[in-house]
Amino acid sequence: MKTYLVGGAVRDALLGLPAGDRDWVVVGATQAQMEAQGFRAVGKDFPVFLHPDTQEEHALARTERKSGRGYRGFVVDADPSVTLEEDLQRRDFTLNAIARDADGTLVDPYGGARDIAARVLRHVGPAFVEDPLRVLRAARFMARFAPLGFTVAPETLALMRQMADSGELDTLVPERVWQELRRALASKQPSAFLRTLHEAGALRHVLPEVEALYGVPQRAEFHPEIDTGVHQELVSDMAAHLAPGDDLIGFAALTHDLGKALTPADVLPRHIGHERAGIKPLQALAARLKVPAEHRDLALIACREHLNVHRLDELRDATVLELLTRCDAFRRPARIAQLATVCECDKRGRAGSAHDAYPQGAMLQRLHAAALSVNARDLVAEGLQGPQIGEALRKARVAAIGAARRGG
C-alpha cells in the first residue's frame, strides 16, 4: 500500500501556481483496509475516501473501461493489483497524469512535465475519445492556461474534432455543460474556451447560438475586428479583465449580441434591432443549459438594453427612468452596476478599444443613485394618496435624474 499526490496539485506546483486542493491516489489497498485505518468512504461511482485527519480525498488506483455512450458509460476496476501507471493512464491530459511520492520524486510515465515546460495541452492516450466531457475540459483548461502560453497539441485537437463529429457531445447533460462553461467564464481568458471549441467543431454542439456569430460581419467603423465571433471573444476577455472571476458578468457579456446571428443577409453588415432579436436565442440557451435565474435575468437585461446604455447621453430623463424600471433597479439596485460593467465590456471589447474610456457606465450609476434618493415616504408625508403617489414619485425621480445630469 503506497500513497501518491496526483493531479492538479502536482501540475500547479510545476507551473508555479498557488496550491489548491490536494488529491491522493492509493496503490495496493482495498476498501476494507482504508476503512480499517479510519478513512471514510464517500465515493458513489468509484472508491474515494476522506483522510481521518486532513479530510483530503484519497482514491484507490483504478482503471476505467468504456461500456456505453456518454461520459457515464464506464466500468471501474479498483482492484489492489492496479498500478500507479495504469491509474495515470486513464486521466485526460499529460499535465494531469503526474504523481509525486512521499520523498518528492515525480512519477511521470506520459511526459506531463515535458509538456508543461513546452506549454502544450496533450491527451494521455487513445482512451481520451471515450469521454465527451474531455472536449469541454480541454477548452476550459485553455481558458485558464492560454495566458501562460499553452496551446492544444495538433493530435489532441484532431481527436476533439473526431469526438465532435461522432455526436458524443450530445450525450452531455446540461448541468455538466453549464459547470464547465461557468468555470471557463470565471477564468482569465474565456476567449480561449470559445476559440478551442470553435476550432474543434464542438461549439456548434454545446453553444450553437454563440457558434452562429462566427463569420457574421459588422460595420468596420464601429468594429474593426469585423467578425462578430471575434468581437464576442474580445468582449468575454474584457469581462474577465473588468470583473475577474465573476461568471455572472461573464455570462451576460457572452450572450449580449446573440441577435446578430439572426440579421438578414441583405441588411449586413448593419444589425438593426439585434438587441431585441437576441432575446429568443438567449432564452433558448438558458433553458437548455438550465442556467441559474440570476444569470439569465442579467443577461436578458444586458441583451435588451446595451445599446440604450451606449447612447445614454441621447436619452430623455424620462426614458432613463423607464430603462431603470425595466431593469427592476429599485428592487434590485445591484443590477445597474452589473449592467454598466457588461456594457463597458461590449464597448471596449473591440479591436483597438481595450483602453478606451466608457463614461456612460459611471453616468448610468450616478443617475440611478439620484433616482434611488427619492423616497416615497416623503410623498406620503406631504399628504398624497393612492395613484397620486405613483405619479409624483415618477416625476420626482425624473427631476432627480435631470438634476444629476446637470451636476445639481
Side-chain angles (χ1 to χ4, degrees):
M1 177 175 173
K2 193 169 182 180
T3 301
Y4 298 86
L5 183 66
V6 293
V10 180
R11 175 198 69 219
D12 291 349
L14 293 174
L15 285 167
L17 299 175
D21 294 337
R22 300 195 303 173
D23 294 313
W24 305 83
V25 66
V26 182
V27 178
T30 65
Q31 179 164 342
Q33 289 174 313
M34 297 294 288
E35 291 176 340
Q37 294 189 31
F39 285 83
R40 179 166 60 90
V42 293
K44 293 181 180 180
D45 300 322
F46 47 85
V48 179
F49 308 84
L50 296 183
H51 191 283
D53 299 322
T54 67
Q55 298 301 301
E56 292 177 334
E57 287 192 357
H58 288 60
L60 296 185
R62 66 184 189 274
T63 61
E64 296 173 347
R65 178 171 51 83
K66 186 73 168 175
S67 61
R69 280 174 61 82
Y71 67 98
R72 290 177 170 169
F74 289 90
V75 174
V76 174
D77 178 14
D79 188 85
S81 63
V82 174
T83 67
L84 176 62
E85 288 73 16
E86 289 173 326
D87 181 271
L88 295 175
Q89 188 178 37
R90 68 171 176 79
R91 297 173 187 267
D92 47 11
F93 305 106
T94 60
L95 51 69
N96 292 328
I98 311 171
R100 189 186 298 275
D101 68 14
D103 65 8
T105 301
L106 290 182
V107 181
D108 182 21
Y110 306 106
R114 180 183 64 245
D115 284 342
I116 286 176
R119 298 298 195 255
V120 173
L121 185 69
R122 190 190 316 275
H123 65 286
V124 172
F128 180 85
V129 300
E130 296 178 351
D131 185 354
L133 187 62
R134 288 174 170 174
V135 174
L136 291 184
R137 282 174 57 83
R140 195 245 302 162
F141 275 122
M142 287 303 297
R144 182 181 179 191
F145 294 137
L148 300 179
F150 273 81
T151 59
V152 181
E155 61 270 30
T156 300
L157 191 60
L159 280 184
M160 292 167 63
R161 291 194 185 103
Q162 175 185 325
M163 294 165 74
D165 291 342
S166 74
E168 277 274 296
L169 295 178
D170 297 330
T171 67
L172 295 172
V173 298
E175 291 84 355
R176 293 309 299 267
V177 177
W178 170 245
Q179 182 181 22
E180 294 297 323
L181 173 60
R182 190 172 192 171
R183 294 176 72 179
L185 294 173
S187 299
K188 289 187 176 181
Q189 194 172 323
S191 66
F193 177 85
L194 301 175
R195 174 63 62 174
T196 300
L197 291 180
H198 174 65
E199 292 180 349
L203 193 60
R204 59 190 169 92
H205 291 280
V206 293
L207 291 172
E209 299 86 355
V210 178
E211 170 66 26
L213 296 174
Y214 285 92
V216 176
Q218 303 167 104
R219 293 171 64 183
E221 65 267 36
F222 300 119
H223 289 277
E225 69 283 356
I226 299 178
D227 190 304
T228 307
V230 175
H231 167 58
Q232 183 52 62
E233 292 179 6
L234 294 171
V235 173
S236 289
D237 283 353
M238 186 56 65
H241 172 67
L242 295 178
D246 191 334
D247 55 80
L248 179 61
I249 296 294
F251 181 71
L254 174 69
T255 55
H256 80 287
D257 259 354
L258 296 183
K260 288 183 176 179
L262 303 177
T263 300
D266 61 339
V267 179
L268 295 173
R270 303 176 70 193
H271 291 278
I272 301 169
H274 75 274
E275 64 277 17
R276 294 185 300 277
I279 296 296
K280 188 173 181 179
L282 173 50
Q283 290 173 327
L285 186 159
R288 185 179 68 254
L289 297 188
K290 301 181 180 180
V291 173
E294 182 183 23
H295 290 67
R296 178 201 64 209
D297 292 346
L298 178 63
L300 288 169
I301 288 169
C303 179
R304 186 184 66 229
E305 306 293 350
H306 65 277
L307 288 191
N308 289 327
V309 178
H310 291 340
R311 59 189 185 95
L312 188 63
D313 289 344
E314 304 171 22
L315 302 185
R316 294 179 300 133
D317 297 339
T319 306
V320 173
L321 178 59
E322 292 168 3
L323 186 159
L324 295 173
T325 303
R326 287 195 301 271
C327 296
D328 202 9
F330 299 101
R331 290 194 312 144
R332 301 177 181 273
R335 279 187 177 171
I336 297 305
Q338 294 167 337
L339 174 61
T341 300
V342 176
C343 293
E344 182 173 355
C345 295
D346 177 36
K347 198 68 172 180
R348 294 174 58 184
R350 309 175 189 209
S353 297
H355 302 290
D356 287 1
Y358 188 67
Q360 296 95 323
M363 177 58 74
L364 178 65
Q365 294 181 75
R366 182 180 175 187
L367 300 185
H368 178 223
L372 275 176
S373 69
V374 178
N375 196 321
R377 289 191 298 270
D378 296 337
L379 301 176
V380 174
E382 294 174 8
L384 299 179
Q385 297 179 353
Q388 293 177 321
I389 296 176
E391 179 58 21
L393 183 61
R394 188 192 72 81
K395 289 181 178 179
R397 283 173 169 168
V398 170
I401 289 170
R405 273 183 153 164
R406 296 187 297 272

